[in-house]
Amino acid sequence: MRRNEQLRETLAGTSRRRFLGYSGLGALALALGPLQAQVGQAQAAGGFKSYPFSLGVASGDPLPDSVVLWTRLAPEPLASLGGMDPRPVPVQWQVSEDAQFRRVVRGGTATARPEYAHSVHVDVRGLQPGREYFYRFRTGNEISPVGRTKTAPAPGAAVSGFKFGMVSCQAWFDGYYTAYSHLAREDLDLVVHLGDYLYEYGVHTNGGRPDTPVPDKFHTTTMHLSDYRDRYALYKLDPELQAAHAAAPWLVTWDDHEVVDNYADLAHPSLPPDDFLVRRANAYRAYWEHMPLRPLEPAGQNMSLYRRFTFGRLLEFNVLDTRQYRSDQACGDGLDTDCAARLDPSRTMLGDAQEAWLLDGLGRSQATWNVLAQQLMMSQVDFNTDPGQAFSMDMWDGYKPSRDRLLNGMVERQVSNPIVLSGDFHRSMAADVKQDFDDPASATIATEFLGTSISSGRDGADMDEFGSQFLAANEHIRFYNGQRGYMTFDVTPDTWKASYRVVPYVRERGAPVFTRASFAVENGRPGVQTDTLSAARG
C-alpha cells in the first residue's frame, strides 16, 4: 500500500470536520496539550465568522535543521483583509514526528498581523536533518489542516536518492488544477515552483472552469495591494493546490505574471516608471505574504529572492530570479534575430550581483548534481524553419552575451553535472545545452528540462503548432510535448531520471495522469542520453 494511502487510513477517524488539506487528510481533532493554555487569548482576538484556515498551509525553504511554515487567516478569503478585523491575532503552531501529533518536537506562538494580511511565517529551528515532520496551526477553537514537510539532509551527507517535482504556470481561469492532485500523491521530498503562480489579467468569462463564475472584482487587472492579495486568495482556495502545498516543502521563485506580463527590472510600458514601481512593490509584498519564505519582507519595490539550498553531497539548487534585475527586452520585445541590443554585452538577464553569486557558488559546489532552478528556456530556440533565424527577446536568446558568460563560466569552473530547470513556455522540452549553439559540433555542457504548465494554455496538444517546427530547427532539442502537467525527478549519485507527467485535459475535472516520456542523464555525461518513451497510464 502506498505510504500516503496508509496515512489517510490511519487518520480516517480523527477529523471532527472536513478540512481541505494534505492528500485530503483534514485537520486532526486531538488533544493539543501545550496549546490549550492560550486558547482563550486566541479566541478573544479572533472572533472568526467562519473557518480561518481557508487558504490551507504550506512549508518551504528546507534546511538541515529548519523549515518555514506558512498559513494565512482568512475566514472570508475574498473580502478585505480576508474578513479579519485589523488587529493582531496569536496563532499557535506545532511540529511533530508523527501525523497524530503524539511526538511533538517543536511548538510556539506566532502573530498574524493585519499589515501582512494576517499571514504567518514561522522559521522552525532545531529540527533533525533529512527527517519527515508534520505540522499544524491553531487559533481560537480552530485547527488548521495538517501539512507534511521534510528537512534537508545534513551537510556532506551521502544521499542515496532524492525525488522532487517541478511545476509552473497555473492560470486559474484556464483550467482545473488536476495535475496538483496527482502531484500530491507522488510522495516527494520537495516541490520546485518556477513562477507564474498567478496571472494579473482581468477576466470576465471563465472558459477554463465552466462551473465556476468569475467574481466581479477579478474582471480588472491587478494593480493595488488588495488586488494581488485577492488574486492569491482565489488561487489558494483551490483544494488541489492546497493538497500539493501540504504534501511536501516547496522552493519557489517568481516569473513575470506575479507582477505583469514581460516586465523587466524597474520598467513596463503599461505605466509611467514611478507608478510601475508602486505596482511592483504591491506585487512583491503580496507574493511574500502568500509564499512559504523566510520572514524577510520586501523592502519597497525590491525583494531578494535568489538563494541556494544543498541536499547533502547529492545535489544543490540555485534558485534564480530572472525578472527583477534584467535589462529591458531587446529590439522592442517579440521575435528578432541579431539586432545590436540582443548582442550587447552590457545587457544582463541576472544582474551583476546575482550572476557573480551564481558562478561563485557553482565554482565552490561539492554536490554531484548542480541545479539552476529558473524561469525561461536557456537553450537556444529558433522559431524559424526557413533560412534565417528568429529568437524570443524575452527568453535567454534575447540576452546572448549574458548566457555566454554563464555557460562559459560553468565550463571554466568545471561544474559537476549542471542541470537547468525552466518553465514559462507552457510546453515540455528536453534539450542538450551547448556551449555554442551556433556550432552543431559544440560540446554539450549541461542538460535542460523545460516543464509545461499546470493549467495555463488550457488543454494543449501532444504536437502543437510549435512542436515539429522546434524539432526541425533546433537539433539540440530532443523532446517536445504541448500538453499540461508537471515533472518529477528521481536523483541518485549515478543517474538523474526525469519524467514528464501529463494530464490530457484541464477544462474538465478528473483527468488521469500518465508518463509521456522519461529521460536519464548519467553522472559525468551531460545531455539527454536515453529516452524511454512511455504511454503507460498511472
Side-chain angles (χ1 to χ4, degrees):
M1 183 183 294
R2 293 175 62 87
R3 186 185 61 79
N4 281 1
E5 292 171 351
Q6 289 177 319
L7 190 56
R8 282 196 292 274
E9 287 192 3
T10 301
L11 299 176
T14 64
S15 294
R16 64 181 170 83
R17 59 187 296 179
R18 292 183 63 189
F19 295 158
L20 301 173
Y22 164 49
S23 298
L25 295 181
L28 303 183
L30 302 178
L32 294 181
L35 297 187
Q36 294 284 2
Q38 297 185 2
V39 167
Q41 179 186 6
Q43 179 64 32
F48 307 116
K49 303 175 181 69
S50 58
Y51 185 52
F53 297 106
S54 61
L55 304 183
V57 299
S59 69
D61 281 9
L63 300 175
D65 67 342
S66 171
V67 69
V68 175
L69 308 182
W70 174 92
T71 193
R72 179 189 166 198
L73 303 183
E76 295 179 347
L78 303 183
S80 176
L81 275 183
M84 294 287 294
D85 293 332
R87 55 184 175 181
V89 178
V91 179
Q92 295 82 45
W93 56 271
Q94 285 183 323
V95 176
S96 175
E97 293 178 343
D98 69 303
Q100 294 82 10
F101 289 82
R102 298 190 184 105
R103 299 190 302 277
V104 174
V105 295
R106 289 290 182 273
T109 301
T111 302
R113 301 186 181 279
E115 57 266 35
Y116 304 139
H118 294 97
S119 62
V120 175
H121 299 76
V122 180
D123 189 359
V124 182
R125 297 282 176 170
L127 302 175
Q128 295 299 309
R131 186 76 63 84
E132 179 184 69
Y133 291 100
F134 299 87
Y135 62 95
R136 62 184 176 183
F137 299 89
R138 177 173 183 167
T139 187
N141 292 322
E142 301 286 3
I143 307 170
S144 77
V146 174
R148 168 190 175 267
T149 192
K150 193 171 184 180
T151 52
V159 180
S160 60
F162 190 88
K163 183 176 182 181
F164 72 98
M166 185 181 84
V167 296
S168 66
C169 304
Q170 53 192 54
W172 184 89
F173 308 104
D174 273 3
Y176 298 105
Y177 291 162
T178 310
Y180 274 133
S181 67
H182 294 296
L183 180 81
R185 298 183 177 94
E186 293 272 6
D187 198 10
L188 303 173
D189 296 305
L190 184 73
V191 174
V192 179
H193 196 293
L194 298 179
D196 291 343
Y197 192 97
L198 58 70
Y199 284 71
E200 81 284 8
Y201 304 135
V203 176
H204 290 268
T205 59
N206 193 2
R209 297 181 178 223
D211 63 350
T212 307
V214 180
D216 289 347
K217 66 170 60 183
F218 301 112
H219 293 177
T220 57
T221 187
T222 53
M223 194 70 65
H224 306 291
L225 180 57
S226 60
D227 299 334
Y228 286 103
R229 284 172 170 171
D230 287 345
R231 194 66 58 96
Y232 280 107
L234 175 69
Y235 280 52
K236 283 181 169 291
L237 281 169
D238 187 279
E240 293 169 318
L241 175 57
Q242 288 191 23
H245 266 300
W250 284 36
L251 294 181
V252 300
T253 187
W254 53 38
D255 194 18
D256 52 347
H257 287 287
E258 285 87 352
V259 181
V260 61
D261 185 31
N262 279 18
Y263 86 93
D265 194 10
L266 301 176
H268 189 267
S270 62
L271 289 170
D274 289 347
D275 292 338
F276 175 72
L277 292 184
V278 173
R279 183 182 188 181
R280 194 176 98 157
N282 291 334
Y284 283 11
R285 177 63 166 268
Y287 182 85
W288 176 82
E289 289 174 348
H290 291 86
M291 294 296 119
L293 294 162
R294 283 197 158 72
L296 295 174
E297 61 183 289
Q301 72 269 12
N302 302 306
M303 177 176 164
S304 180
L305 193 61
Y306 63 87
R307 57 213 194 279
R308 183 173 291 119
F309 296 88
T310 303
F311 293 81
R313 294 200 303 269
L314 183 63
L315 74 166
E316 186 166 273
F317 286 88
N318 299 274
V319 182
L320 305 185
D321 177 355
T322 63
R323 285 292 165 188
Q324 187 172 185
Y325 313 105
R326 67 155 69 191
S327 304
D328 197 6
Q329 289 90 346
C331 316
D333 210 345
L335 295 178
D336 212 309
T337 308
D338 283 344
C339 66
R342 175 181 179 259
L343 304 177
D344 181 353
S346 69
R347 297 178 66 256
T348 178
M349 175 69 95
L350 300 176
D352 293 341
Q354 183 177 194
E355 184 177 308
W357 167 87
L358 175 59
L359 287 172
D360 288 347
L362 289 170
R364 292 193 304 267
S365 174
Q366 299 299 307
T368 300
W369 303 93
N370 287 278
V371 183
L372 279 64
Q374 53 93 55
Q375 293 76 8
L376 299 145
M377 188 83 172
M378 185 174 289
S379 298
Q380 180 171 290
V381 181
D382 182 2
F383 284 72
N384 193 356
T385 55
D386 299 325
Q389 296 174 311
F391 303 119
S392 167
M393 296 298 100
D394 188 54
M395 295 162 63
W396 279 88
D397 281 329
Y399 302 79
K400 185 179 184 299
S402 186
R403 179 176 63 194
D404 290 344
R405 287 194 301 270
L406 176 55
L407 298 184
N408 291 333
M410 291 195 294
V411 172
E412 292 166 2
R413 290 161 177 78
Q414 299 181 335
V415 177
S416 174
N417 297 309
I419 300 287
V420 180
L421 304 182
S422 310
D424 176 71
F425 200 53
H426 308 171
R427 291 160 180 85
S428 297
M429 288 189 272
D432 296 337
V433 181
K434 298 289 187 177
Q435 188 171 5
D436 181 358
F437 287 101
D438 293 326
D439 178 6
S442 177
T444 297
I445 64 170
T447 314
E448 180 166 14
F449 295 104
L450 174 77
T452 187
S453 64
I454 290 290
S455 59
S456 303
R458 301 194 179 178
D459 292 343
D462 185 273
M463 188 61 64
D464 60 19
E465 69 274 19
F466 290 113
S468 57
Q469 175 178 331
F470 286 164
L471 294 173
N474 302 275
E475 292 184 5
H476 55 278
I477 296 178
R478 306 286 299 279
F479 169 74
Y480 182 94
N481 173 269
Q483 294 169 291
R484 309 284 73 85
Y486 57 93
M487 294 194 72
T488 60
F489 301 94
D490 286 280
V491 186
T492 72
D494 297 323
T495 307
W496 178 289
K497 180 183 177 182
S499 297
Y500 288 92
R501 302 280 282 159
V502 166
V503 292
Y505 52 86
V506 297
R507 287 185 290 174
E508 298 178 28
R509 298 183 186 274
V513 66
F514 66 96
T515 299
R516 173 61 179 81
S518 295
F519 297 92
V521 181
E522 297 175 13
N523 183 354
R525 293 184 60 200
V528 180
Q529 286 111 38
T530 61
D531 172 7
T532 55
L533 286 173
S534 172
R537 294 187 176 268

